Amino acid sequence: MTEVLLFHHVQGQTAGFHDFAEQVRRAGHTVHTPDLFDGRTFATLDDGLSHAREVGFATLLERGTRAADPLPAELVYAGFSLGVMPAQKLAQTRPGALGALFFEACVPPSEFGTSWPDDLPVQIHGMDADPSFAGEGDLDAARDLVASAKRGELFLYPGDRHLFSDSSLPTYDPEAAALLTQRTLAFLAVI
């Protein structure tokens, strides 16, 4: 089966984040979940963002990049929201990547100095009216990335929630989360 490096969102490694990782493991995949926040979790998005700003986004990106060092090159890189940054950087720049899964965030590939790798499959998931995903440029970046990828898919879910797939947060949407998980497992099954 597939080996996945999965990065958490700005509220940290919540119970819902761990639940998602466990679902992927139960499907037979190996999932690595480095903690960029050193064990801290945050009750709100704003609290998590404050912490991320305090630590520094560049520092968090570097922590994520270093988390891949002891792992094999043949990985699927995945991330939720803030966690998309290290996942996308590694998918684009670390040789051997098998695929990429971006949940509720995306940046232009030029952010990491390269174009999207020709044959690297990618799935991007987000809500169509999420102020963070649709309203801050991530959706535009996702559309551009998928258009440039030979094997790219963008899945939009109706709604305006951010972190909708985290079962431990009030923004959880069970139907959309179940579909996201189903599509994720189908992606991993063919890598």
Side-chain angles (χ1 to χ4, degrees):
M1 299 305 286
T2 306
E3 202 159 344
V4 180
L5 181 56
L6 177 66
F7 295 100
H8 62 80
H9 52 70
V10 76
Q11 287 181 250
Q13 289 198 350
T14 60
F17 170 81
H18 286 294
D19 288 346
F20 178 83
E22 208 42 51
Q23 288 180 61
V24 176
R25 287 183 184 108
R26 282 194 303 269
H29 306 287
T30 300
V31 183
H32 304 277
T33 55
D35 189 346
L36 305 181
F37 285 179
D38 297 324
R40 295 189 66 188
T41 58
F42 299 91
T44 69
L45 197 63
D46 288 340
D47 290 345
L49 281 171
S50 292
H51 176 71
R53 285 186 191 104
E54 184 180 307
V55 171
F57 291 103
T59 299
L60 294 171
L61 183 60
E62 180 59 28
R63 285 179 186 174
T65 303
R66 283 195 322 259
D69 289 348
L71 300 175
E74 297 78 20
L75 294 169
V76 171
Y77 297 100
F80 287 96
S81 193
L82 174 75
V84 167
M85 292 287 289
Q88 188 169 341
K89 179 180 181 182
L90 287 162
Q92 282 185 231
T93 63
R94 190 173 189 236
L98 299 176
L101 292 159
F102 303 152
F103 307 114
E104 304 181 76
C106 185
V107 297
S110 60
E111 181 77 19
F112 302 113
T114 65
S115 59
W116 189 252
D118 282 342
D119 291 321
L120 186 64
V122 59
Q123 270 190 3
I124 305 169
H125 302 259
M127 285 199 158
D128 61 4
D130 169 3
S132 296
F133 180 71
E136 295 181 1
D138 295 66
L139 177 54
D140 294 333
R143 285 183 172 132
D144 290 345
L145 191 154
V146 166
S148 72
K150 288 182 183 175
R151 297 167 51 199
E153 297 176 288
L154 172 60
F155 294 108
L156 294 176
Y157 304 81
D160 62 358
R161 299 177 187 184
H162 194 63
L163 305 180
F164 70 89
S165 60
D166 188 319
S167 61
S168 64
L169 298 178
T171 52
Y172 180 58
D173 182 319
E175 288 180 28
L179 188 53
L180 177 147
T181 302
Q182 177 186 1
R183 288 169 168 164
T184 297
L185 294 177
F187 178 87
L188 292 173
V190 297
I191 293 295

